[in-house]
Coordinates of all heavy atoms in Angstrom, one line a residue:
L31 N -4.7 6.7 -1.6 CA -3.7 7.7 -1.8 C -3.8 8.8 -0.7 O -2.8 9.2 -0.1 CB -3.8 8.4 -3.2 CG -2.8 9.4 -3.5 CD1 -1.4 8.9 -3.4 CD2 -3.0 10.0 -4.9
R32 N -5.0 9.3 -0.5 CA -5.1 10.4 0.6 C -4.7 9.9 1.9 O -3.9 10.6 2.6 CB -6.5 10.9 0.6 CG -7.0 11.7 -0.6 CD -8.4 12.1 -0.5 NE -9.0 12.5 -1.7 CZ -9.3 13.7 -2.0 NH1 -9.1 14.7 -1.2 NH2 -9.7 14.0 -3.2
E33 N -5.1 8.7 2.3 CA -4.7 8.2 3.6 C -3.2 7.9 3.6 O -2.5 8.2 4.6 CB -5.4 6.8 3.8 CG -6.9 7.0 4.1 CD -7.6 5.7 4.1 OE1 -7.7 5.1 5.2 OE2 -8.0 5.2 3.1
L34 N -2.6 7.4 2.5 CA -1.2 7.2 2.5 C -0.4 8.5 2.6 O 0.6 8.6 3.4 CB -0.8 6.5 1.1 CG 0.7 6.3 0.9 CD1 1.3 5.4 1.9 CD2 0.9 5.7 -0.5
L35 N -0.8 9.5 1.9 CA -0.1 10.8 2.0 C -0.2 11.4 3.4 O 0.8 12.0 3.9 CB -0.6 11.8 0.9 CG -0.2 11.4 -0.5 CD1 -0.9 12.4 -1.5 CD2 1.3 11.5 -0.7
A36 N -1.4 11.3 4.0 CA -1.5 11.9 5.3 C -0.7 11.1 6.3 O 0.0 11.7 7.2 CB -3.0 11.8 5.7
A37 N -0.7 9.8 6.2 CA 0.1 9.0 7.1 C 1.6 9.2 6.9 O 2.4 9.3 7.9 CB -0.2 7.5 6.9
W38 N 2.0 9.3 5.6 CA 3.4 9.6 5.3 C 3.9 10.9 5.9 O 4.9 11.0 6.5 CB 3.7 9.6 3.8 CG 5.1 9.7 3.4 CD1 5.7 10.8 3.1 CD2 6.1 8.7 3.3 NE1 7.1 10.6 2.8 CE2 7.3 9.3 2.9 CE3 6.0 7.3 3.5 CZ2 8.5 8.5 2.8 CZ3 7.2 6.5 3.4 CH2 8.4 7.2 3.0
G39 N 3.1 11.9 5.8 CA 3.4 13.2 6.4 C 3.5 13.1 7.9 O 4.4 13.7 8.5
A40 N 2.6 12.5 8.5 CA 2.6 12.3 10.0 C 3.8 11.5 10.4 O 4.5 11.8 11.4 CB 1.3 11.7 10.5
C41 N 4.2 10.5 9.6 CA 5.3 9.7 10.0 C 6.6 10.5 9.8 O 7.5 10.3 10.6 CB 5.4 8.4 9.1 SG 4.1 7.2 9.4
K42 N 6.7 11.3 8.9 CA 7.9 12.2 8.7 C 8.1 13.2 9.8 O 9.2 13.5 10.2 CB 7.8 12.9 7.3 CG 8.1 12.0 6.2 CD 9.5 11.4 6.3 CE 10.0 10.8 5.0 NZ 11.3 10.2 5.1
L43 N 6.9 13.6 10.4 CA 7.0 14.5 11.5 C 7.6 13.8 12.8 O 8.2 14.4 13.6 CB 5.6 15.1 11.8 CG 5.1 16.1 10.8 CD1 3.7 16.6 11.2 CD2 6.0 17.3 10.7
N44 N 7.2 12.6 12.9 CA 7.7 11.8 14.0 C 9.0 11.1 13.6 O 9.0 9.9 13.3 CB 6.7 10.7 14.5 CG 5.5 11.4 15.1 OD1 5.6 12.4 15.7 ND2 4.3 10.8 14.8
S45 N 10.1 11.8 13.6 CA 11.3 11.3 12.9 C 11.9 10.1 13.7 O 12.8 9.4 13.2 CB 12.3 12.4 12.8 OG 12.6 12.9 14.0
H46 N 11.5 9.8 14.9 CA 12.0 8.7 15.7 C 11.5 7.4 15.1 O 11.9 6.3 15.5 CB 11.8 8.8 17.2 CG 10.3 8.9 17.6 ND1 9.6 10.0 17.5 CD2 9.5 7.9 18.0 CE1 8.4 9.7 17.9 NE2 8.3 8.5 18.2
Y47 N 10.4 7.4 14.3 CA 9.9 6.2 13.7 C 10.4 6.1 12.3 O 10.5 7.1 11.5 CB 8.3 6.3 13.5 CG 7.6 6.0 14.8 CD1 6.8 7.0 15.4 CD2 7.6 4.8 15.4 CE1 6.1 6.8 16.6 CE2 6.9 4.5 16.5 CZ 6.2 5.5 17.1 OH 5.4 5.3 18.3
A48 N 10.8 4.9 11.9 CA 11.1 4.6 10.5 C 9.8 4.6 9.7 O 8.7 4.2 10.3 CB 11.8 3.3 10.3
P49 N 9.7 5.1 8.5 CA 8.5 5.1 7.7 C 7.7 3.8 7.7 O 6.5 3.7 7.8 CB 8.9 5.5 6.3 CG 10.2 6.3 6.5 CD 10.8 5.6 7.7
F50 N 8.4 2.7 7.5 CA 7.8 1.4 7.5 C 7.1 1.1 8.8 O 5.9 0.7 8.8 CB 8.8 0.3 7.2 CG 8.2 -1.1 7.2 CD1 7.4 -1.5 6.2 CD2 8.6 -2.0 8.2 CE1 6.9 -2.8 6.1 CE2 8.0 -3.3 8.2 CZ 7.2 -3.7 7.2
D51 N 7.8 1.2 9.9 CA 7.2 1.0 11.2 C 6.0 1.9 11.4 O 4.9 1.5 11.9 CB 8.2 1.2 12.3 CG 9.4 0.4 12.2 OD1 9.7 -0.1 11.1 OD2 10.1 0.3 13.2
C52 N 6.1 3.1 11.1 CA 5.1 4.1 11.3 C 3.8 3.8 10.4 O 2.7 3.9 10.9 CB 5.6 5.5 11.0 SG 4.5 6.8 11.4
L53 N 4.1 3.5 9.2 CA 2.9 3.2 8.3 C 2.2 1.9 8.8 O 1.0 1.8 8.8 CB 3.3 3.0 6.9 CG 3.7 4.3 6.1 CD1 4.1 4.0 4.7 CD2 2.6 5.3 6.1
L54 N 3.0 0.9 9.2 CA 2.4 -0.3 9.7 C 1.5 0.0 11.0 O 0.5 -0.6 11.2 CB 3.5 -1.3 10.1 CG 3.9 -2.3 9.1 CD1 4.9 -3.3 9.7 CD2 2.7 -3.1 8.5
S55 N 2.0 0.9 11.8 CA 1.3 1.2 13.0 C -0.1 1.8 12.8 O -0.9 1.8 13.7 CB 2.1 2.1 13.9 OG 2.2 3.4 13.4
R56 N -0.3 2.3 11.6 CA -1.6 2.9 11.2 C -2.7 1.8 11.0 O -3.9 2.1 11.0 CB -1.5 3.7 9.9 CG -0.6 4.8 10.0 CD -1.0 5.9 11.0 NE 0.1 6.8 11.2 CZ -0.1 8.1 11.5 NH1 -1.4 8.5 11.6 NH2 0.9 8.9 11.7
G57 N -2.2 0.5 10.8 CA -3.2 -0.6 10.6 C -4.0 -0.6 9.4 O -5.1 -1.1 9.3
I58 N -3.4 0.0 8.3 CA -4.2 0.1 7.0 C -3.3 -0.5 5.9 O -2.1 -0.3 5.8 CB -4.4 1.6 6.7 CG1 -5.3 2.2 7.8 CG2 -5.1 1.8 5.3 CD1 -5.4 3.7 7.7
D59 N -4.0 -1.2 5.0 CA -3.4 -1.7 3.8 C -3.5 -0.5 2.8 O -4.5 -0.5 2.0 CB -4.0 -3.0 3.2 CG -3.5 -3.4 1.9 OD1 -2.5 -2.8 1.4 OD2 -4.1 -4.2 1.2
F60 N -2.6 0.4 2.8 CA -2.7 1.6 2.0 C -2.7 1.2 0.5 O -3.2 2.0 -0.4 CB -1.5 2.5 2.2 CG -1.5 3.1 3.6 CD1 -0.6 2.6 4.5 CD2 -2.3 4.1 3.9 CE1 -0.6 3.2 5.8 CE2 -2.3 4.7 5.2 CZ -1.5 4.2 6.1
F61 N -2.1 0.1 0.1 CA -2.0 -0.3 -1.3 C -3.1 -1.1 -1.8 O -3.1 -1.6 -2.9 CB -0.6 -1.0 -1.5 CG 0.5 -0.2 -0.9 CD1 1.1 -0.6 0.3 CD2 0.9 1.0 -1.5 CE1 2.2 0.1 0.8 CE2 1.9 1.7 -0.9 CZ 2.6 1.3 0.3
D62 N -4.1 -1.4 -1.0 CA -5.2 -2.2 -1.4 C -4.8 -3.5 -2.1 O -5.4 -3.9 -3.1 CB -6.2 -1.4 -2.2 CG -7.1 -0.5 -1.4 OD1 -7.3 -0.7 -0.2 OD2 -7.5 0.5 -2.0
L63 N -3.8 -4.2 -1.5 CA -3.3 -5.4 -2.2 C -4.4 -6.5 -2.4 O -4.4 -7.1 -3.4 CB -2.1 -5.9 -1.3 CG -0.9 -5.0 -1.2 CD1 0.1 -5.6 -0.3 CD2 -0.3 -4.7 -2.5
E64 N -5.2 -6.7 -1.4 CA -6.2 -7.7 -1.5 C -7.2 -7.3 -2.6 O -7.6 -8.1 -3.4 CB -6.9 -8.0 -0.2 CG -8.0 -9.0 -0.2 CD -8.6 -9.4 1.1 OE1 -8.3 -8.7 2.1 OE2 -9.4 -10.3 1.1
H65 N -7.7 -6.1 -2.5 CA -8.6 -5.6 -3.5 C -8.1 -5.8 -4.9 O -8.8 -6.2 -5.8 CB -9.1 -4.2 -3.2 CG -9.9 -3.6 -4.3 ND1 -11.2 -3.9 -4.4 CD2 -9.6 -2.7 -5.3 CE1 -11.7 -3.3 -5.5 NE2 -10.8 -2.6 -6.0
H66 N -6.8 -5.4 -5.1 CA -6.2 -5.5 -6.4 C -6.2 -6.9 -6.9 O -6.6 -7.2 -8.1 CB -4.8 -4.9 -6.4 CG -4.1 -5.0 -7.7 ND1 -4.4 -4.2 -8.8 CD2 -3.1 -5.7 -8.1 CE1 -3.7 -4.5 -9.8 NE2 -2.8 -5.4 -9.4
F67 N -5.7 -7.8 -6.0 CA -5.6 -9.2 -6.4 C -7.0 -9.8 -6.7 O -7.2 -10.4 -7.8 CB -5.0 -10.1 -5.3 CG -5.0 -11.5 -5.7 CD1 -4.0 -12.1 -6.5 CD2 -6.0 -12.3 -5.2 CE1 -4.0 -13.4 -6.8 CE2 -6.0 -13.7 -5.5 CZ -5.0 -14.2 -6.3
M68 N -8.0 -9.5 -5.8 CA -9.3 -10.1 -6.0 C -10.0 -9.6 -7.2 O -10.8 -10.3 -7.8 CB -10.2 -9.9 -4.8 CG -9.6 -10.6 -3.5 SD -9.4 -12.4 -3.8 CE -11.1 -12.9 -3.9
S69 N -9.7 -8.3 -7.7 CA -10.3 -7.8 -8.9 C -9.9 -8.6 -10.1 O -10.6 -8.7 -11.0 CB -10.1 -6.3 -9.0 OG -8.7 -6.1 -9.3
W70 N -8.7 -9.1 -10.1 CA -8.2 -10.0 -11.2 C -8.7 -11.4 -11.0 O -9.1 -12.1 -11.9 CB -6.7 -10.0 -11.2 CG -6.1 -8.8 -11.9 CD1 -5.7 -7.6 -11.2 CD2 -6.0 -8.6 -13.3 NE1 -5.3 -6.7 -12.2 CE2 -5.4 -7.3 -13.4 CE3 -6.2 -9.3 -14.4 CZ2 -5.1 -6.8 -14.7 CZ3 -5.9 -8.8 -15.6 CH2 -5.4 -7.5 -15.8
W71 N -8.7 -11.9 -9.8 CA -9.0 -13.3 -9.5 C -10.5 -13.6 -9.7 O -10.8 -14.7 -10.2 CB -8.7 -13.6 -8.0 CG -8.9 -15.0 -7.6 CD1 -9.9 -15.5 -6.8 CD2 -8.0 -16.1 -7.9 NE1 -9.7 -16.9 -6.7 CE2 -8.6 -17.3 -7.3 CE3 -6.8 -16.3 -8.6 CZ2 -8.0 -18.5 -7.4 CZ3 -6.3 -17.5 -8.7 CH2 -6.8 -18.6 -8.1
T72 N -11.4 -12.6 -9.5 CA -12.8 -12.9 -9.6 C -13.5 -12.3 -10.8 O -14.7 -12.5 -11.0 CB -13.5 -12.3 -8.3 OG1 -13.3 -10.9 -8.3 CG2 -13.0 -13.0 -7.0
H73 N -12.7 -11.6 -11.6 CA -13.3 -11.0 -12.8 C -13.6 -12.0 -13.9 O -12.7 -12.6 -14.5 CB -12.3 -9.9 -13.4 CG -12.9 -9.2 -14.6 ND1 -13.9 -8.3 -14.5 CD2 -12.5 -9.2 -15.9 CE1 -14.2 -7.8 -15.7 NE2 -13.3 -8.4 -16.5
A74 N -14.9 -12.4 -14.1 CA -15.3 -13.5 -14.9 C -15.5 -13.1 -16.4 O -15.7 -13.9 -17.2 CB -16.5 -14.2 -14.3
E75 N -15.6 -11.8 -16.6 CA -16.1 -11.3 -18.0 C -14.9 -10.9 -18.9 O -15.1 -10.1 -19.8 CB -17.1 -10.2 -17.8 CG -18.4 -10.8 -17.1 CD -19.2 -9.7 -16.4 OE1 -18.9 -8.5 -16.7 OE2 -20.0 -10.1 -15.6
R76 N -13.7 -11.3 -18.6 CA -12.6 -10.9 -19.4 C -12.6 -11.7 -20.7 O -13.1 -12.8 -20.7 CB -11.3 -11.0 -18.7 CG -10.9 -12.4 -18.3 CD -9.5 -12.4 -17.7 NE -9.4 -11.9 -16.3 CZ -9.6 -12.6 -15.2 NH1 -9.8 -13.9 -15.3 NH2 -9.5 -12.1 -14.1
E77 N -12.0 -11.2 -21.7 CA -11.9 -11.9 -23.0 C -10.5 -12.4 -23.3 O -10.2 -12.5 -24.5 CB -12.4 -10.9 -24.1 CG -13.9 -10.5 -23.9 CD -14.4 -9.6 -25.0 OE1 -13.7 -9.4 -26.0 OE2 -15.5 -9.0 -24.8
Y78 N -9.7 -12.6 -22.3 CA -8.3 -13.0 -22.5 C -7.9 -13.9 -21.4 O -8.6 -13.9 -20.3 CB -7.4 -11.8 -22.6 CG -7.7 -10.8 -21.4 CD1 -7.0 -10.9 -20.2 CD2 -8.5 -9.7 -21.6 CE1 -7.3 -10.1 -19.2 CE2 -8.8 -8.9 -20.6 CZ -8.2 -9.0 -19.4 OH -8.4 -8.2 -18.3
E79 N -6.9 -14.7 -21.6 CA -6.4 -15.6 -20.6 C -5.6 -14.8 -19.5 O -4.9 -13.8 -19.9 CB -5.6 -16.7 -21.2 CG -6.3 -17.6 -22.1 CD -5.4 -18.6 -22.8 OE1 -4.3 -18.3 -23.2 OE2 -5.8 -19.8 -22.8

Side-chain angles (χ1 to χ4, degrees):
L31 183 58
R32 290 177 197 253
E33 292 172 88
L34 174 62
L35 289 174
W38 184 265
C41 289
K42 285 299 197 182
L43 291 176
N44 294 323
S45 59
H46 62 280
Y47 281 115
F50 177 71
D51 302 19
C52 186
L53 288 179
L54 269 183
S55 71
R56 303 295 170 146
I58 298 170
D59 173 13
F60 295 103
F61 309 108
D62 282 333
L63 298 175
E64 182 175 5
H65 173 75
H66 178 72
F67 175 83
M68 294 306 290
S69 69
W70 282 95
W71 185 257
T72 61
H73 183 68
E75 294 156 14
R76 66 175 73 92
E77 297 179 11
Y78 48 88
E79 295 177 319

